[in-house]
Every structure is written in structure tokens, then in C-alpha cells.
Amino acid sequence: MKKDSNALPKKNPLSLQLDLSSFEKATDEEKFMQQRMRESTTFFKDGMRRLRKNKIAMICLCVLIAIVLIITFVPMFYPYDYSTQLGITPGQPTDSSYKNLKPFEYGETELKRIEAGENIFPHIFGTDSLGRDYAIRVIYGARISLVVGLFASIIVLIIGTIYGSISGYYGGKVDLIMMRIVDIIYSLPDLLMIILLSVVLNKTLNLEGTFLESLGVGMISIFIVFALLYWVGMARLIRGQILTIKQQDYVLAARSLGASGGHIIRHHMLPNCISVIIISTALQIPSAIFTESFLSFMGLGVSMPMPSLGSLASEALGGIYSYPYRLAIPAVAICLIVLSLNLLGDGLRDAFDPKLKK
Amino acid sequence: MDSKLALYIVKRLLLAIFTVFLIITITFFVMKAIPGGPFLSEKSPSPEVTAALEAKYGLDKPVFEQYITYLKDLLRGDFGPSIKNRGRQVIDLIMEGFAVSAKNGLIAACLAIVIGLVLGALAAVFHDSWIDKTIMVLSTAFVAIPSFVVATLLLLIFCITFPIFPANGNVSGGLVLPIISLSLSPMSYITRLTRSSMLDVLGQDYIRTARAKGVSNTKVIFKHALKNAVTPVITYVGPMIAYILTGSLVVEKVFAVPGLGDFFFSSITNRDYPMVMGTTIFLATLMVIMTLLSDICYKIFDPRVDLS
């Protein structure tokens, strides 16, 4: 027997089952009113939309993408190397005509080869006092600065997040002691301590034979210093976030279901403060670049012959009257990188977390 | 309220003292970790001479004993003798350099505060006009750019391309550029700080009341609004002094100013360890004191601030 789909099952007098006959079907017009007028958007998409409207941030993003493309791909096909002293070939007398070339000038042997009809890549920014191509040194310098900025920020991010979330979640005495430690580190004058530690680490660290050797002692000491001192700001921020999230009902629900502290922090709390984490990491990068260039400028940063924007500026100071452009190029490059990172970070903050605005 | 304030001051004071103690300890033990000692140079003296020198400077004793001696000496204001400048005391050298640096730093700080307040107030009063926008763009740029980059660019523009000022900090007029490069970044920060707090204050009821009573616009801005808008700036004074002091380390190198930064620089390259230690401790203590003072002043001047 075919069952009528509209027929109701036999109603139990005591059940709360609804009587379908007392309802009427929705008309098409009413159904249309229920339709979504716009695609529902995720948190990330919404933020990106707001970021895309911010002209300054987009310009900065383009500048940064251009810089990143240049420093990744140009060294691949660039005919010169940052450490090769041009004009020095083994078994032949040194050709000193390569030293201190002005932009787009050539060394003597290169001029001869050009006369012979060869095509030689120009020295766009000339060469330095040791005959090294300056353009590639600036590119490598920018690469070092950005890499240091990125990795130092990641170190800060990891330490700060773990420390801040533990302190905020457990509260009470744990929080008190952990935050006193943060207060004390916070009150240390950071740059002075960094200079001091760099002086010492430059002398004491012995990296020979390890894979870290190629990075150089200066770079490693910068990372250590960041890991020791710079995470406190991030830890404070994360703790504040965790303290507010802790009051939410879903955390209580998770706890009453027997979730462990670590699970709650990882799966419920950190995903909810991800915007704060991203924004403060983005703003950490320029400050790390600032510190690196400051140290390199003082002669404490990356080790020779590796260039960094700070050390390039510092070297160029000696020949400022004859070769002012050699100082201007790294200085402008630092300005460009730091400024666009800062403005992009501000843009990210406005787009993803308007509450965080100072 | 007064007992609360006193409690706050005592707490901050204790933290400051502990911080200074920690800085001294870190500095001492970290510097002791450098292998080779201060007498190791290219032309190494004979073992007997080294031993005699070490005995003279007390370096042959156990490290902890040296630490106690160093602490005791510090309490008397004695930073020990400089190793590279024979016969000179570290404290004398520091004072000599600090006299120059402090003068520049103070001028830079005053410049930053005065111009920063005026520009910030201007930007707030002409909110959303071209004046506001220009000031904000410039201040955003100068907050971000490190002081030594500003210094090098100023040197390039005003000493090399257009030789208006001398590049040497020793001669007259030579201090103009170092002072400007030290003050630009704090000035921009104060501008932004003043602008936002001024905008906040200008929207409040008592300003409208004053305007309604017919008080002139200048008087409203300078007497009623600015007075309340400056309090956040007070908290920035401590960090600003710290910024100017560390900034002077490199700015003095760029312009060859014979200040504390210049000494610090050469003592790092010369491996004059007592000098490095002394300067670090001296500057760090100064910064801690400045931050302490500005924080306490903030609480005293602004009774609305919660002390808990």
C-alpha cells in the first residue's frame, strides 16, 4: 500500500508532536525573503576586504612584494657576487682599477672586453673600496635585514605566545610570578642590553664546524638577544587576550567536558586571539630590522664579508665626501623597508582588529 | 588616596632598585664571560706582565669576590680605572662625555616636547584638514625611521649636497644636525600622542561649556584643552630620554661629536671592558630613574589614573 507522504503518523495523545495540518506552506515570495542577499563572509575575508580598501597599506604591500621579489630572484642571475673582489684573479697581478668605481663605470679589463665586442653587465651602483659590486651588496644587505626581521619575529612570537598563554590561563600565583619576571625584563633598557650581549657573544660564541657557522656569530647573537629580551611585549599582549577569553562560556564548557589546560589553550584560546598575534608579529618585524641595522651600524651585527644595510651605511661613512651615494642607497633602503612594514602593520591592525587601535 | 600613592611610589622605587642591581649583575657576569681577559691584544705581553697587571686590577681573585668588590666600589661611585686610557678613571671619562651628550640630549628633548606639543595641538585643532594630514604623514614617517638613518640622510643633504652646516660636531654650528636627528623621532611620537589625546579632550563637555561662555578660541585650546591633553605625554618622557641616549650612541658617531656615545663606541672597538661596563651601567641607571620619575609624575598630575 502506497503511503501518503502528507499523512501524519498516529498521534500519541501524550506526545508533544505538532499537528502539521495547523501549518501552511511558505509561498515563493516568503521563501525569497529568507534568501541570503550576500555571500556570508569569513573573518579573514572580511579583514582582507577592509585591508584592500586601505590605499596606503596596499601601496606598502606592493613595495614590499617588489623588494622581496628583487632580493630573492636578482641574485640568481646577477653576474657578480657580494664577496668577490673584482680585478683579483689568481695568478695575475691585481687590477686596482676595479676599486671605487662610480655607477655604470667599468674596470680596465672590462673596458677592453667591451671594445672586443663583448657585452658586460654594468655595475649599477659602482663598486666599493675593495672592488666588490655595490648593487649586489645592497641587495644582499636587504635580504639579510628582512630575514633577520622575519626570524627574530617568529622567535618572539613563539616564546611570547607560549609564556603569555600559560600565565594568563593558570592565573593566580603562577601568573603573579611570571608577570613579575616580565616586568623586570621589561624595565631593562633593551638596546643597551642588546649591545652588551652582542659584544660578549661576538667574542665567546664558537660556531666552527656547525651549520650555524655560515650565518655568522653576529646574526646568531641577534637571535639569542631577541629570544632573551624581546618576547615580553608579546607575552603581555597575549596574556591580556587570554584573560578576557577565559571568561567565555565555551571555555567553561570545554573544561566541564574534561579538556586539559593545554588542549583548551591550543584549540579554544589561541585561535581566538590569532588577529592580535598576527598584527603584533607584523609590527615586530620592522623593530627587529631596526635593531639589526643599529647593531650592524655599530659594528656588532653580521660578520664580514656578509653585508647588511646597517654595516653598508657604516662603511660608507668613511668615504662620505667622495661617494655620498654609497651612504644614501642603504639609508634609503632601510627607510623604505621599515616604513612600508610599519604602515602595512598599521593597516593590518585597522583591518583585523579595530579595537587594538591606540 | 595619598597612602595609595605612597605605596605605589615605594613599589616602583623597589622595582627600580632591583632593576639597577640586576643590570649591574648581568653586566658584570656577562663581561666576565669573555675569554682572554682585557689584556689580550695583538702583541701579547709576557705571562709575568699579564699576571702583574691582573694582580693590580684584582683580576686574579675568584669571580664572586671581584663582583662584591665591584659592587662596593660602585656604591662609592667608583667605576674602576680605564684599561686603554691609562691612568684615567672610568667615571671621569663618563662624566666628561656625558657633559657633552647631556647638553645635546636636553636640547633635543626640549625641542621634541615643545614642537611636538604645538604640532599635535595644531593637527587636532585643524582636524582632517591638509595641515592635519601633512603633519600626520610626516610624523608617521619620522617615528618609523631609525635615528641613525635620519642622521646619515641629514648629513648627506645638509653637509655634502648643500654645505650649510659643518659635518663635524666639534665646531660651532656643528651640533645643529645631531640635535635635529636626535629629536625628530620623539618629536613625531609626541605629536601623534598629543593629537589623539587633544582630539579626545576637545570633544568633552567642559570645552563646549567654555566655548558657550564666549571664551576665545586660543584660550580654549591652550588653557582648557592642552593642559589636560599633555598628561599622556608625561609618560613618554622616560622612554624618550632612553631613546635619545641610545640614539646619541650612533648619532655622535655620524657627526663625530665627542660625547658619551663616541666614548662607548671606541671602548667597544678597543675592548676597554671596564669602560663598556661602566657606560652601560651608567646609562641604564639613568634610564631606569627617568622612567620611574615620569611614571610617578604621571600619577601625581593625573588623579584619574587608577593606581591599583
Side-chain angles (χ1 to χ4, degrees):
Chain A
M1 194 177 84
K2 200 181 156 203
K3 220 176 175 185
D4 185 3
S5 60
N6 278 338
L8 292 171
K10 200 181 169 214
K11 191 172 172 358
N12 182 336
L14 287 177
S15 94
L16 290 170
Q17 193 180 356
L18 292 169
D19 183 10
L20 272 192
S21 60
S22 58
F23 291 86
E24 59 182 76
K25 280 192 168 177
T27 61
D28 283 346
E29 195 188 340
E30 280 165 338
K31 274 183 186 164
F32 180 73
M33 283 171 73
Q34 293 294 317
Q35 268 175 8
R36 285 179 302 175
M37 299 307 283
R38 200 164 66 179
E39 266 309 293
S40 79
T41 151
T42 60
F43 168 74
F44 181 74
K45 269 189 201 156
D46 193 42
M48 287 312 283
R49 186 181 56 82
R50 252 176 289 172
L51 185 65
R52 237 174 275 135
K53 272 190 192 160
N54 189 338
K55 269 186 216 142
I56 296 174
M58 287 324 279
I59 293 171
C60 291
L61 189 64
C62 293
V63 170
L64 282 175
I65 290 175
I67 291 174
V68 169
L69 288 179
I70 288 173
I71 61 172
T72 356
F73 294 113
V74 169
M76 287 181 187
F77 60 81
Y78 206 77
Y80 307 109
D81 187 36
Y82 72 89
S83 58
T84 316
Q85 298 181 16
L86 299 169
I88 297 179
T89 26
Q92 278 172 30
T94 310
D95 183 1
S96 61
S97 65
Y98 281 96
K99 284 176 187 165
N100 291 326
L101 288 179
K102 289 261 162 64
F104 292 103
E105 278 184 349
Y106 295 97
E108 272 169 23
T109 42
E110 280 178 339
L111 284 174
K112 276 179 203 154
R113 279 160 66 197
I114 289 174
E115 274 171 28
E118 245 182 280
N119 232 344
I120 299 233
F121 199 82
H123 304 289
I124 300 169
F125 295 150
T127 57
D128 69 0
S129 57
L130 293 173
R132 294 173 293 199
D133 187 88
Y134 201 61
I136 194 70
R137 283 184 73 73
V138 172
I139 290 172
Y140 262 93
R143 188 188 244 194
I144 299 284
S145 293
L146 274 175
V147 167
V148 168
L150 200 66
F151 277 96
S153 313
I154 291 174
I155 294 174
V156 168
L157 167 78
I158 293 171
I159 301 178
T161 309
I162 294 175
Y163 195 95
S165 50
I166 292 175
S167 171
Y169 181 76
Y170 288 101
K173 272 195 186 122
V174 179
D175 183 39
L176 197 75
I177 294 168
M178 287 176 94
M179 279 301 122
R180 280 294 138 312
I181 296 173
V182 165
D183 282 349
I184 288 164
I185 296 179
Y186 204 77
S187 62
L188 293 175
D190 40 12
L191 264 180
L192 274 181
M193 288 293 125
I194 287 175
I195 293 171
L196 185 77
L197 286 175
S198 306
V199 169
V200 175
L201 288 172
N202 266 322
K203 300 278 185 298
T204 46
L205 272 187
N206 189 4
L207 300 171
E208 269 171 53
T210 58
F211 75 100
L212 293 172
E213 194 185 349
S214 56
L215 276 174
V217 174
M219 193 100 98
I220 300 297
S221 62
I222 289 175
F223 288 144
I224 294 179
V225 161
F226 265 84
L228 283 176
L229 293 177
Y230 263 76
W231 53 271
V232 286
M234 179 73 98
R236 275 189 171 176
L237 210 62
I238 300 294
R239 174 182 169 266
Q241 287 288 312
I242 296 283
L243 280 183
T244 26
I245 293 173
K246 211 166 89 174
Q247 312 295 329
Q248 307 283 327
D249 288 338
Y250 58 82
V251 174
L252 186 66
R255 200 179 301 153
S256 58
L257 285 170
S260 69
H263 180 90
I264 293 176
I265 289 176
R266 263 180 281 119
H267 289 92
H268 297 284
M269 291 179 154
L270 288 184
N272 279 300
C273 43
I274 198 82
S275 63
V276 177
I277 294 176
I278 292 175
I279 293 157
S280 49
T281 310
L283 287 171
Q284 193 74 49
I285 298 175
S287 101
I289 292 177
F290 169 88
T291 312
E292 187 275 330
S293 57
F294 185 93
L295 285 177
S296 297
F297 191 76
M298 293 196 82
L300 292 168
V302 294
S303 24
M304 303 293 255
M306 186 107 67
S308 129
L309 292 177
S311 65
L312 286 174
S314 169
E315 280 164 27
L317 220 91
I320 181 161
Y321 286 99
S322 329
Y323 315 102
Y325 58 90
R326 263 194 228 157
L327 184 55
I329 295 165
V332 169
I334 297 176
C335 284
L336 213 60
I337 293 176
V338 171
L339 202 58
S340 35
L341 276 170
N342 260 316
L343 290 174
L344 180 65
D346 284 349
L348 276 177
R349 185 183 57 197
D350 293 348
F352 282 96
D353 196 353
K355 277 178 295 179
L356 208 69
K357 222 171 175 178
K358 257 191 230 161
Chain B
M1 183 257 151
D2 267 334
S3 67
K4 237 178 158 184
L5 184 67
L7 192 71
Y8 174 78
I9 292 175
V10 169
K11 251 164 89 180
R12 283 301 317 262
L13 206 62
L14 285 178
L15 181 66
I17 292 171
F18 182 69
T19 311
V20 170
F21 173 73
L22 196 72
I23 290 167
I24 295 171
T25 313
I26 293 175
T27 314
F28 183 85
F29 284 106
V30 156
M31 292 303 278
K32 281 288 166 232
I34 300 178
F39 304 111
L40 204 69
S41 55
E42 283 73 31
K43 37 171 195 169
S44 239
S46 63
E48 297 86 49
V49 177
T50 313
L53 277 171
E54 282 188 345
K56 189 189 164 201
Y57 290 110
L59 295 174
D60 51 346
K61 298 198 181 80
V63 175
F64 195 72
E65 202 173 311
Q66 288 181 40
Y67 171 63
I68 299 293
T69 323
Y70 193 72
L71 276 185
K72 275 186 195 156
D73 285 349
L74 277 185
L75 278 179
R76 286 188 276 112
D78 179 7
F79 285 73
S82 165
I83 282 177
K84 298 290 152 154
N85 296 293
R86 290 282 152 81
R88 301 290 306 272
Q89 291 290 312
V90 168
I91 186 72
D92 295 340
L93 287 167
I94 289 178
M95 282 306 164
E96 200 178 292
F98 185 62
V100 178
S101 300
K103 198 180 78 189
N104 295 345
L106 271 184
I107 298 175
C110 293
L111 209 66
I113 293 174
V114 172
I115 299 184
L117 281 178
V118 171
L119 287 182
L122 265 180
V125 171
F126 298 101
H127 183 48
D128 268 342
S129 71
W130 63 270
I131 300 177
D132 182 27
K133 278 175 189 148
T134 322
I135 291 176
M136 282 318 280
V137 167
L138 286 180
S139 64
T140 312
F142 283 121
V143 162
I145 300 172
S147 57
F148 76 90
V149 178
V150 173
T152 48
L153 288 177
L154 283 179
L155 180 73
L156 273 177
I157 296 168
F158 292 110
C159 301
I160 312 287
T161 321
F162 310 103
I164 304 169
F165 295 105
N168 190 328
N170 272 320
V171 288
S172 69
L175 289 176
V176 175
L177 290 182
I179 289 173
I180 292 179
S181 38
L182 277 180
S183 64
L184 269 180
S185 171
M187 188 192 293
S188 313
Y189 196 85
I190 291 177
T191 305
R192 291 165 62 109
L193 217 58
T194 315
R195 176 179 174 271
S196 62
S197 80
M198 192 75 172
L199 281 178
D200 188 36
V201 168
L202 281 177
Q204 282 183 12
D205 288 344
Y206 73 91
I207 296 292
R208 203 168 18 159
T209 314
R211 286 230 166 94
K213 279 161 73 185
V215 181
S216 74
N217 202 19
T218 24
K219 214 173 168 189
V220 167
I221 291 163
F222 285 99
K223 205 169 165 218
H224 293 80
L226 197 58
K227 219 170 162 185
N228 278 304
V230 291
T231 35
V233 177
I234 296 173
T235 45
Y236 179 63
V237 170
M240 176 178 75
I241 299 283
Y243 179 90
I244 288 180
L245 282 175
T246 42
S248 70
L249 296 183
V250 277
V251 170
E252 285 177 4
K253 185 198 175 192
V254 174
F255 291 102
V257 182
L260 192 55
D262 203 34
F263 277 130
F264 191 50
F265 226 114
S266 50
S267 60
I268 286 177
T269 34
N270 289 338
R271 299 196 191 182
D272 191 347
Y273 296 146
M275 188 70 198
V276 175
M277 273 162 83
T279 319
T280 311
I281 292 172
F282 180 78
L283 285 178
T285 311
L286 202 64
M287 287 173 195
V288 170
I289 293 173
M290 282 303 164
T291 317
L292 176 75
L293 285 183
S294 76
D295 279 5
I296 291 177
C297 284
Y298 182 53
K299 304 279 161 164
I300 293 174
F301 287 138
D302 197 343
R304 285 168 301 182
V305 173
D306 186 19
L307 283 175
S308 58

